[in-house]
Amino acid sequence: MATSGGKVLDFEEYVRTRQEALLRSARRLVPDPVDAQDLLQTALVRTYGRWDGIADKSLADAYLRRVMINTRTEWWRARKLEEVPTEQLPDASVDDGTEQRADRALLMDILGVLAPKQRSVVVLRHWEQMSTEETAAALGMSTGTVKSTLHRALARLRQELQARDIDARMLERGEQERARQDQERCAA
């Protein structure tokens, strides 16, 4: 019985320390915050039953994320389409997400200017929202190295964004100048 109690305490301690990071991962999988909490709770219940089978507890986050992905996929497959036939279509404005996709494409493109080590640090610290210590442990480097690498990487990203902004403004001015010249030719 002591083993079972030890298992419970071990699992509870893990959940207490990793709950926020796991909830962030769940939020990336489902858009609704309540559904994200439900997803995490379901994944925790499923993981608890297999907790003793996870020999390397440092891989528990990866295991739990996989359980969340599988659970989300099960939910998606089991969903019911709630379509109701009507005589008239509702007027609905559709946000096509073009701007969001453009921002994401720019981010992915700009990350490409960084060295692989810098990119890893930026993604873990800002995308995965890991602490400096967690990032250092994940990448096998000291916290000081993580901090200095992150500082240089963010400076490089700012520099690249500024350069692209200047290029875009110059391109826009050139287009405006050509349009003005075309108008002058048409007027003459």
Side-chain angles (χ1 to χ4, degrees):
M1 198 69 169
T3 322
S4 175
K7 173 185 173 183
V8 171
L9 290 177
D10 185 31
F11 186 75
E12 285 179 359
E13 180 63 26
Y14 168 76
V15 172
R16 229 183 333 275
T17 59
R18 299 298 301 150
Q19 184 174 6
E20 289 181 31
L22 294 170
L23 186 56
R24 283 192 303 268
S25 294
R27 282 298 314 254
R28 288 187 197 100
L29 294 172
V30 293
D32 183 73
V34 174
D35 288 343
Q37 290 174 346
D38 288 345
L39 177 63
L40 177 58
Q41 289 302 316
T42 303
L44 288 171
V45 167
R46 291 179 177 183
T47 302
Y48 177 74
R50 305 226 183 237
W51 188 249
D52 288 336
I54 303 173
D56 185 359
K57 299 299 188 220
S58 67
L59 299 176
D61 278 6
Y63 182 88
L64 201 55
R65 284 186 179 110
R66 174 48 52 193
V67 172
M68 284 192 284
I69 290 168
N70 291 345
T71 302
R72 190 243 7 234
T73 302
E74 289 173 17
W75 289 357
W76 179 79
R77 287 179 180 155
R79 79 191 188 291
K80 293 180 183 175
L81 297 178
E82 297 177 5
E83 294 181 7
V84 179
T86 61
E87 289 184 29
Q88 286 188 332
L89 293 174
D91 290 333
S93 64
V94 177
D95 181 20
D96 65 0
T98 304
E99 196 170 309
Q100 187 178 16
R101 282 192 294 281
D103 288 345
R104 185 177 177 90
L106 175 64
L107 175 64
M108 299 309 283
D109 188 41
I110 281 196
L111 282 174
V113 304
L114 297 177
K117 181 172 135 181
Q118 289 178 326
R119 191 174 25 241
S120 298
V121 169
V122 169
V123 167
L124 291 178
R125 283 288 289 128
H126 291 286
W127 195 293
E128 288 294 323
Q129 298 180 342
M130 288 182 166
S131 68
T132 303
E133 293 76 20
E134 291 170 332
T135 303
L139 297 175
M141 56 177 68
S142 71
T143 56
T145 303
V146 168
K147 289 177 184 179
S148 62
T149 302
L150 181 63
H151 177 76
R152 284 191 296 277
L154 292 177
R156 176 70 178 105
L157 289 174
R158 280 187 208 98
Q159 179 185 21
E160 183 67 22
L161 279 171
Q162 286 174 346
R164 290 179 185 216
D165 188 43
I166 289 170
D167 290 346
R169 278 189 265 141
M170 290 176 66
L171 182 63
E172 186 177 315
R173 284 186 196 132
E175 289 173 0
Q176 289 173 350
E177 181 63 25
R178 280 191 291 276
R180 187 185 60 76
Q181 289 171 355
D182 288 346
Q183 286 176 346
E184 289 174 358
R185 276 188 238 133
C186 289

